[in-house]
Amino acid sequence: MIKRMATTAVLLAVLAAICGAATYEIGPGKTYTNIGDFAWEDLAAGDTVQIYYKATPYYEKFGVWAVGTSANPVTVQGVAGEGGELPIIDGNEATTRLDLDYWGDERCLIKLGGSNIHDNYGVPSYIVIENLELRNANNSYSYTDDAGTYKAFTTNATSIWPESGDHIIIRNCEIHECGNGLLSSGSSEEITVEGCHIYDNSYSLSISEHNIYTETKHILFQYNLLGEPYGGNNLKDRSAGTIARYNWIEGGGREFDLVNSYDFSAIYNDEQYGDDRIYGNVIIEYNDATNSQIVHYGGDMTPTDTYRDGPLKFYNNTVISQRTGITYLIRNQDDEDADVFNNIVYVPSGSLYIMATNDGTVDTTYNWFQSGYTLNGATEPDPTTNLSGSAPGFSDYSNGDYTLTSISDCVDAGMDIPGELLALFDVDYEYVADH
């Protein structure tokens, strides 16, 4: 194995040399001491920038405008400390390299797309940002921009903002204390957010900022730990073709808020608009939640004919609500549809309503619901398939182990994944605590 790894390393080095790719190192004792010392404006396909952990944060901001390819992506990679500590990028009193002339700097720590001097690059493509801790991009803090001007972050500031760009991966990042933890705009395409820990974003009582707030043509969230935000929703999304799978999600006004797009041309007309899937997640609603709905689907602004029609596919999720009042599983806006199957929905101390309104359609089959549940406009095409009881048979509920015991009524009680989902959206994994 050691010989194979060594051979692979040599091969990669040769390929990098052929492609003209380079690796740049930032940190104590490296070629570049500070993030701002490096010429971000000169990045090219295949380049890797490594930011090394140090005991104090990097109080700096930057952007990425390079165009990579599928074979030669552009990578910004944190290198952890000996104890696994991620390098920290902190917005509090952050500085910006003066050669980076881009707009929207008051809204982010890391910007992708949208620049006054990098239009010759085209749209940022095939970008990987990984292994970083990003914090303190919010209106409590100020920074120095690329013109040397001192100013404050906006309320909706974020850690990473793909204003435009495609094939972007945000991986294994810890994101907290930002206005919006993560933000994307309607000119972005093909974004993957995976293995991240996103928590403590937004503001107390806010309904406008969220842990995640995205609008992208095709976006995938997987393997993430999404902790409770200070306000707003946990995952708010206005995208086309949204997939959220194998995540652990705790708290928020709503855990999922999938609504209509602002960018009607790029998003609304996409063939995957309204073709959304939430599956294989563990979803926990706290008793202090400001909203009693787990999922809101459809839209929240006019025109209503731009709402996501669905049907939303919501399946193989474990939903636990600690609310002592009513928990609504799905709120479908107007005529929107949802197919709900193979889920466990446990509400040990309150009441479970499957729908929050009678406006949309929710079909439920092969679920386990808390005893006494109320359909409230939802339908059961085959009422014999849904199970109910006082408890689903978790291995150790009090300690957060939601695997099932061998005698649980839920074991082998689900349906086969339908053929149209099976090829690409079968359930292959489960989230194992912790992260």
mmCIF file of all heavy atoms in Angstrom, residues 132-147:
data_model
loop_
_atom_site.group_PDB
_atom_site.id
_atom_site.type_symbol
_atom_site.label_atom_id
_atom_site.label_comp_id
_atom_site.label_asym_id
_atom_site.label_seq_id
_atom_site.Cartn_x
_atom_site.Cartn_y
_atom_site.Cartn_z
ATOM 1 N N LEU A 132 -11.923 24.244 6.264
ATOM 2 C CA LEU A 132 -11.734 25.556 6.870
ATOM 3 C C LEU A 132 -12.806 25.808 7.915
ATOM 4 O O LEU A 132 -13.950 25.362 7.765
ATOM 5 C CB LEU A 132 -11.799 26.659 5.807
ATOM 6 C CG LEU A 132 -10.722 26.669 4.726
ATOM 7 C CD1 LEU A 132 -11.087 27.668 3.637
ATOM 8 C CD2 LEU A 132 -9.354 26.979 5.317
ATOM 9 N N GLU A 133 -12.441 26.558 8.961
ATOM 10 C CA GLU A 133 -13.435 27.091 9.889
ATOM 11 C C GLU A 133 -13.654 28.559 9.538
ATOM 12 O O GLU A 133 -12.701 29.342 9.481
ATOM 13 C CB GLU A 133 -12.981 26.963 11.343
ATOM 14 C CG GLU A 133 -14.009 27.508 12.332
ATOM 15 C CD GLU A 133 -13.615 27.347 13.787
ATOM 16 O OE1 GLU A 133 -12.671 26.583 14.067
ATOM 17 O OE2 GLU A 133 -14.251 27.999 14.650
ATOM 18 N N LEU A 134 -14.906 28.918 9.283
ATOM 19 C CA LEU A 134 -15.253 30.257 8.821
ATOM 20 C C LEU A 134 -16.234 30.873 9.810
ATOM 21 O O LEU A 134 -17.265 30.277 10.110
ATOM 22 C CB LEU A 134 -15.877 30.174 7.430
ATOM 23 C CG LEU A 134 -15.023 29.448 6.372
ATOM 24 C CD1 LEU A 134 -15.852 29.082 5.164
ATOM 25 C CD2 LEU A 134 -13.841 30.309 5.965
ATOM 26 N N ARG A 135 -15.917 32.079 10.293
ATOM 27 C CA ARG A 135 -16.761 32.643 11.344
ATOM 28 C C ARG A 135 -16.757 34.178 11.302
ATOM 29 O O ARG A 135 -15.903 34.806 10.701
ATOM 30 C CB ARG A 135 -16.285 32.159 12.715
ATOM 31 C CG ARG A 135 -14.955 32.734 13.169
ATOM 32 C CD ARG A 135 -14.472 32.088 14.450
ATOM 33 N NE ARG A 135 -13.335 32.831 15.033
ATOM 34 C CZ ARG A 135 -12.589 32.391 16.034
ATOM 35 N NH1 ARG A 135 -12.828 31.196 16.578
ATOM 36 N NH2 ARG A 135 -11.595 33.137 16.515
ATOM 37 N N ASN A 136 -17.777 34.738 11.966
ATOM 38 C CA ASN A 136 -17.856 36.172 12.271
ATOM 39 C C ASN A 136 -17.974 37.064 11.035
ATOM 40 O O ASN A 136 -17.388 38.138 10.973
ATOM 41 C CB ASN A 136 -16.666 36.613 13.124
ATOM 42 C CG ASN A 136 -16.744 36.046 14.533
ATOM 43 O OD1 ASN A 136 -17.817 35.686 15.002
ATOM 44 N ND2 ASN A 136 -15.609 35.949 15.192
ATOM 45 N N ALA A 137 -18.762 36.624 10.053
ATOM 46 C CA ALA A 137 -19.187 37.528 8.982
ATOM 47 C C ALA A 137 -20.611 37.963 9.315
ATOM 48 O O ALA A 137 -21.587 37.373 8.849
ATOM 49 C CB ALA A 137 -19.126 36.842 7.632
ATOM 50 N N ASN A 138 -20.739 38.951 10.159
ATOM 51 C CA ASN A 138 -22.049 39.475 10.521
ATOM 52 C C ASN A 138 -21.928 40.950 10.869
ATOM 53 O O ASN A 138 -20.829 41.491 10.996
ATOM 54 C CB ASN A 138 -22.676 38.668 11.666
ATOM 55 C CG ASN A 138 -21.942 38.824 12.976
ATOM 56 O OD1 ASN A 138 -21.908 39.913 13.557
ATOM 57 N ND2 ASN A 138 -21.356 37.734 13.472
ATOM 58 N N ASN A 139 -23.061 41.633 11.027
ATOM 59 C CA ASN A 139 -23.043 43.089 11.144
ATOM 60 C C ASN A 139 -22.559 43.608 12.495
ATOM 61 O O ASN A 139 -22.559 44.815 12.721
ATOM 62 C CB ASN A 139 -24.421 43.672 10.822
ATOM 63 C CG ASN A 139 -25.489 43.269 11.833
ATOM 64 O OD1 ASN A 139 -25.271 42.416 12.679
ATOM 65 N ND2 ASN A 139 -26.660 43.877 11.716
ATOM 66 N N SER A 140 -22.106 42.714 13.352
ATOM 67 C CA SER A 140 -21.445 43.153 14.590
ATOM 68 C C SER A 140 -19.974 43.480 14.355
ATOM 69 O O SER A 140 -19.323 44.035 15.238
ATOM 70 C CB SER A 140 -21.558 42.072 15.666
ATOM 71 O OG SER A 140 -22.906 41.842 16.023
ATOM 72 N N TYR A 141 -19.459 43.120 13.179
ATOM 73 C CA TYR A 141 -18.027 43.237 12.915
ATOM 74 C C TYR A 141 -17.755 44.081 11.672
ATOM 75 O O TYR A 141 -18.576 44.185 10.764
ATOM 76 C CB TYR A 141 -17.401 41.856 12.740
ATOM 77 C CG TYR A 141 -17.551 40.986 13.969
ATOM 78 C CD1 TYR A 141 -18.428 39.910 13.978
ATOM 79 C CD2 TYR A 141 -16.838 41.272 15.128
ATOM 80 C CE1 TYR A 141 -18.568 39.121 15.115
ATOM 81 C CE2 TYR A 141 -16.984 40.487 16.261
ATOM 82 C CZ TYR A 141 -17.854 39.426 16.253
ATOM 83 O OH TYR A 141 -18.008 38.658 17.369
ATOM 84 N N SER A 142 -16.553 44.658 11.643
ATOM 85 C CA SER A 142 -16.117 45.470 10.517
ATOM 86 C C SER A 142 -14.814 44.914 9.954
ATOM 87 O O SER A 142 -14.147 44.088 10.581
ATOM 88 C CB SER A 142 -15.919 46.923 10.957
ATOM 89 O OG SER A 142 -17.148 47.492 11.397
ATOM 90 N N TYR A 143 -14.443 45.385 8.771
ATOM 91 C CA TYR A 143 -13.278 44.878 8.065
ATOM 92 C C TYR A 143 -12.761 45.977 7.141
ATOM 93 O O TYR A 143 -13.388 47.033 6.962
ATOM 94 C CB TYR A 143 -13.662 43.641 7.242
ATOM 95 C CG TYR A 143 -14.594 43.977 6.108
ATOM 96 C CD1 TYR A 143 -14.108 44.201 4.821
ATOM 97 C CD2 TYR A 143 -15.962 44.119 6.328
ATOM 98 C CE1 TYR A 143 -14.951 44.550 3.788
ATOM 99 C CE2 TYR A 143 -16.814 44.478 5.305
ATOM 100 C CZ TYR A 143 -16.315 44.700 4.037
ATOM 101 O OH TYR A 143 -17.147 45.055 3.015
ATOM 102 N N THR A 144 -11.630 45.737 6.519
ATOM 103 C CA THR A 144 -11.063 46.645 5.529
ATOM 104 C C THR A 144 -11.195 46.014 4.151
ATOM 105 O O THR A 144 -10.759 44.874 3.937
ATOM 106 C CB THR A 144 -9.587 46.936 5.825
ATOM 107 O OG1 THR A 144 -9.479 47.497 7.142
ATOM 108 C CG2 THR A 144 -9.019 47.922 4.817
ATOM 109 N N ASP A 145 -11.803 46.747 3.193
ATOM 110 C CA ASP A 145 -12.081 46.156 1.890
ATOM 111 C C ASP A 145 -10.892 46.288 0.936
ATOM 112 O O ASP A 145 -9.808 46.746 1.326
ATOM 113 C CB ASP A 145 -13.357 46.755 1.293
ATOM 114 C CG ASP A 145 -13.191 48.200 0.839
ATOM 115 O OD1 ASP A 145 -12.063 48.735 0.881
ATOM 116 O OD2 ASP A 145 -14.201 48.803 0.429
ATOM 117 N N ASP A 146 -11.095 45.907 -0.333
ATOM 118 C CA ASP A 146 -9.998 45.879 -1.305
ATOM 119 C C ASP A 146 -9.551 47.265 -1.752
ATOM 120 O O ASP A 146 -8.566 47.382 -2.488
ATOM 121 C CB ASP A 146 -10.384 45.027 -2.519
ATOM 122 C CG ASP A 146 -11.733 45.405 -3.097
ATOM 123 O OD1 ASP A 146 -11.980 46.604 -3.311
ATOM 124 O OD2 ASP A 146 -12.555 44.503 -3.310
ATOM 125 N N ALA A 147 -10.274 48.314 -1.328
ATOM 126 C CA ALA A 147 -9.839 49.684 -1.601
ATOM 127 C C ALA A 147 -9.226 50.343 -0.374
ATOM 128 O O ALA A 147 -8.893 51.520 -0.404
ATOM 129 C CB ALA A 147 -11.021 50.513 -2.098
#
